[in-house]
Amino acid sequence: MKKLFIACLGTETNTFSNMPTGMQTFAETMLYHGDASEKSDELFAAPLKVWRKRAEDLQADVIESLAAFAQPAGVTVRKVYEDFRDEILSDLKAASPVDAVMLSMHGAMVADGYGDCEGDLLARCREVAGPDAAIGGELDLHCSVTPEMTGAADVLISFKEYPHIDSAERAEE
């Protein structure tokens, strides 16, 4: 591997909640633009740290994009999801070609107009990175695994522990 692209985008959506997940919810929980692996100890940033270290140990270049995560709430505001997704895709296009794309996600994110945000993001990353890039993701154990996700990713790994104490171990896996 010569070049690794890493990012994080997620929340656990409760579609019955009338409290939409907006920009403020992400800003209050975890929001970094390219430096979460250096500045954050949050649960969903841990995989970024592991992947960065592993790639650097292999003397690979690491391109880090957005790391955005929100506490569980209602459906994510469409513009917030699309802006975050598009930031990741723009960074991926700028970094291309890459050998691998690794995404830290929840697996149960729903946005207005998108019933499967992880499937959408993985599929779009596949379009940008191409068929030869390895694409993987780490998911919360409360995730939904969809055909769109498995069709776009080469590897999906979920937490195995509750409470969630194994995100770094699953990133190593």
Side-chain angles (χ1 to χ4, degrees):
M1 177 175 50
K2 296 175 186 161
K3 194 186 291 188
L4 173 67
F5 181 88
I6 59 175
C8 170
L9 179 56
T11 186
E12 182 176 11
T13 300
N14 176 346
T15 58
F16 298 104
S17 174
N18 63 357
M19 298 171 43
T21 303
M23 181 61 78
Q24 187 64 32
T25 312
F26 284 94
E28 290 172 353
T29 308
M30 185 176 85
L31 183 58
Y32 296 91
H33 299 273
D35 57 358
S37 67
E38 299 168 8
K39 294 184 176 179
S40 175
D41 290 322
E42 280 100 350
L43 175 70
F44 286 88
L48 303 178
K49 290 178 175 249
V50 169
W51 297 331
R52 173 178 286 284
K53 181 175 181 343
R54 182 66 77 98
E56 289 174 346
D57 287 349
L58 296 171
Q59 299 180 346
D61 292 327
V62 179
I63 297 83
E64 184 172 344
S65 183
L66 177 76
F69 202 87
Q71 288 296 321
V75 172
T76 300
V77 174
R78 182 182 193 118
K79 179 167 178 23
V80 172
Y81 168 66
E82 289 177 343
D83 285 352
F84 285 159
R85 178 201 63 202
D86 293 349
E87 180 177 340
I88 291 169
L89 295 173
S90 176
D91 289 348
L92 179 55
K93 285 176 188 168
S96 289
V98 300
D99 298 293
V101 175
M102 297 299 294
L103 302 173
S104 174
M105 305 172 288
H106 185 282
M109 182 178 186
V110 175
D112 182 30
Y114 298 90
D116 176 10
C117 293
E118 290 83 1
D120 177 62
L121 178 59
L122 286 163
R124 291 172 188 258
C125 284
R126 171 61 70 203
E127 289 173 8
V128 173
D132 295 331
I135 297 187
E138 182 170 345
L139 306 165
D140 185 290
L141 61 80
H142 303 109
C143 68
S144 298
V145 178
T146 66
E148 290 78 13
M149 293 165 66
T150 60
D154 297 297
V155 176
L156 294 171
I157 300 287
S158 70
F159 302 167
K160 295 179 182 175
E161 302 289 335
Y162 184 84
H164 305 321
I165 57 172
D166 64 333
S167 68
E169 289 84 353
R170 297 298 68 80
E172 285 286 349
E173 190 176 332

